[in-house]
Amino acid sequence: MKNAAVACLTASLLLGAATDASAWSQETHRRIAIDAVNYMKANPTTTNYAKLLNGATKAGLTIDQFAAALGQGAYDVDDFADTYICGATTGDCQLAPVWGLGAGIVKYTSYWHFQNHTQGADAHGNDIGGYNYAKLTVWGDIDNMAATWLYGDYLDDGSGNLTGWFWSDNSKYNAYDKTERNYRLGGYSTRSMYADFEKIPFQPIDNLGQYWFQQFLAAPTVQKLGFVLHTTDLLQPHHTWTTSALNHSGWETWVNDNYYTYQLNDAARVTAALNTGRHRALQHGCQRPPEHGPRHDPARHRHDRAHPEPRCRTLLITGRRLPPMTEKVEL
């Protein structure tokens, strides 16, 4: 059982918590999106580059302008001002933790950016759930600290609903009826699920991607497609094991600092990784998803991704299968 009691919340440690709670650095998100376009440009016969170029041209953009706009969209998701958490006693709603020393360090919106591969289905009916402190199998000081600091705090769900003591509430943005509803995709949610931070089952990041992909199909813009590509957080192990701690921020900082030094965008390595991923996925009986993307069935409260094994998605992307965890680990 987690030890959620934190004896001392010092300013320096709290500042460390804020930086560790983030996803890929925004610059890395931008680079990944731009490099994906550049890879397609360099490999037109093995990618759908012709279709991409045609779409960019119809939008009145050069392919380089398209790539830049796509990268900016992927970058911007971490800046969404769409998630407020309200104090259990005061009802005061904030976009970011006060111990984050400002919203520029971390926002609560980042809690929609996980997909917990160690827990399976969640309370909403998703085949793989998102961040939920109560169900973490891997965690550390940052997770404990956030759950302690935000103990009993609730998601802003508009005036007249969840409140602090003595019905206190200064709702600033109805995240439940806007952000959460968007990412719910027809699944099951109640306000009570979001009444206590330490037990909140945040929607997983693939729901975020699916929502913005649906918005893109309805009214195509490069920005919306860029929002979809923020789901590259799934390539970050802390976002699939699901923890804000255990060198989360340090690892992402290293990737950003060494992205070009270690040629992480090298075309030959990308090709080898893609081929390895496809081969391993097929070995495990995984099939490519349909061309039109994931299909959501509201009546069944789940996503049908053309195969029964959720971990196939990890194989198709990375070539690696996440092994099941049988024991909880706390470091």
Side-chain angles (χ1 to χ4, degrees):
M1 184 174 182
K2 303 180 189 68
N3 177 14
V6 178
C8 181
L9 300 178
T10 63
S12 59
L13 191 55
L14 289 171
L15 177 58
T19 56
D20 268 282
S22 62
W24 281 125
S25 73
Q26 289 178 285
E27 186 56 36
T28 299
H29 275 295
R30 189 205 309 270
R31 291 174 179 178
I32 291 173
I34 292 174
D35 285 339
V37 174
N38 289 337
Y39 179 85
M40 295 176 72
K41 182 179 179 180
N43 297 272
T45 60
T46 57
T47 67
N48 285 322
Y49 178 70
K51 292 181 179 179
L52 188 70
L53 179 60
N54 183 55
T57 301
K58 286 183 177 179
L61 301 172
T62 66
I63 197 63
D64 291 337
Q65 290 172 330
F66 176 90
L70 192 71
Q72 187 62 45
Y75 178 107
D76 288 341
V77 175
D78 281 325
D79 288 330
F80 282 1
D82 63 354
T83 305
Y84 282 74
I85 300 293
C86 309
T89 57
T90 65
D92 183 47
C93 304
Q94 297 295 331
L95 183 65
V98 294
W99 40 263
L101 301 185
I105 295 178
V106 65
K107 292 183 173 68
Y108 291 128
T109 192
S110 65
Y111 282 108
W112 307 109
H113 299 177
F114 292 84
Q115 187 189 71
N116 192 344
H117 283 244
T118 75
Q119 275 293 331
D122 67 4
H124 304 291
N126 297 300
D127 54 359
I128 304 178
Y131 189 97
N132 181 346
Y133 176 77
K135 295 187 68 176
L136 298 184
T137 59
V138 180
W139 70 89
D141 54 355
I142 312 306
D143 302 293
N144 289 340
M145 195 174 302
T148 301
W149 186 273
L150 301 172
Y151 186 83
D153 290 1
Y154 59 95
L155 181 70
D156 191 342
D157 66 338
S159 299
N161 297 299
L162 297 174
T163 68
W165 288 5
F166 308 109
W167 304 282
S168 58
D169 180 55
N170 75 332
S171 175
K172 295 178 180 176
Y173 184 88
N174 189 342
Y176 178 79
D177 286 321
K178 295 178 181 178
T179 308
E180 203 279 342
R181 182 185 64 183
N182 290 341
Y183 299 161
R184 194 183 309 161
L185 297 179
Y188 175 74
S189 291
T190 64
R191 281 181 159 78
S192 62
M193 290 180 178
Y194 292 87
D196 300 289
F197 174 84
E198 68 280 6
K199 296 184 289 185
I200 290 178
F202 287 93
Q203 298 285 357
I205 191 173
D206 55 322
N207 285 22
L208 178 156
Q210 179 68 5
Y211 169 76
W212 283 111
F213 187 64
Q214 290 172 347
Q215 297 304 300
F216 169 77
L217 293 177
T221 68
V222 183
Q223 182 187 51
K224 292 174 185 174
L225 196 58
F227 293 165
V228 175
L229 292 184
H230 196 86
T231 55
T232 53
D233 269 341
L234 288 170
L235 303 178
Q236 208 288 45
H238 295 83
H239 283 260
T240 51
W241 289 117
T242 307
T243 177
S244 295
L246 308 183
N247 203 35
H248 186 146
S249 178
W251 191 83
E252 291 171 345
T253 299
W254 183 92
V255 170
N256 186 57
D257 291 345
N258 292 278
Y259 192 90
Y260 294 118
T261 302
Y262 286 92
Q263 299 180 324
L264 300 181
N265 62 338
D266 178 74
R269 292 180 180 178
V270 172
T271 299
L274 288 172
N275 290 337
T276 299
R278 294 190 189 103
H279 176 69
R280 290 183 179 176
L282 291 174
Q283 279 184 324
H284 287 276
C286 300
Q287 302 296 322
R288 288 178 58 89
E291 295 249 338
H292 53 72
R295 175 168 59 83
H296 180 68
D297 180 357
R300 300 184 66 182
H301 296 263
R302 71 179 189 85
H303 304 294
D304 181 356
R305 293 178 175 87
H307 46 67
E309 169 57 83
R311 288 194 177 118
C312 285
R313 294 201 293 284
T314 304
L315 275 165
L316 288 166
I317 295 173
T318 67
R320 299 178 183 271
R321 176 181 288 269
L322 290 175
M325 291 198 65
T326 57
E327 297 181 0
K328 292 190 174 183
V329 179
E330 181 172 14
L331 298 177

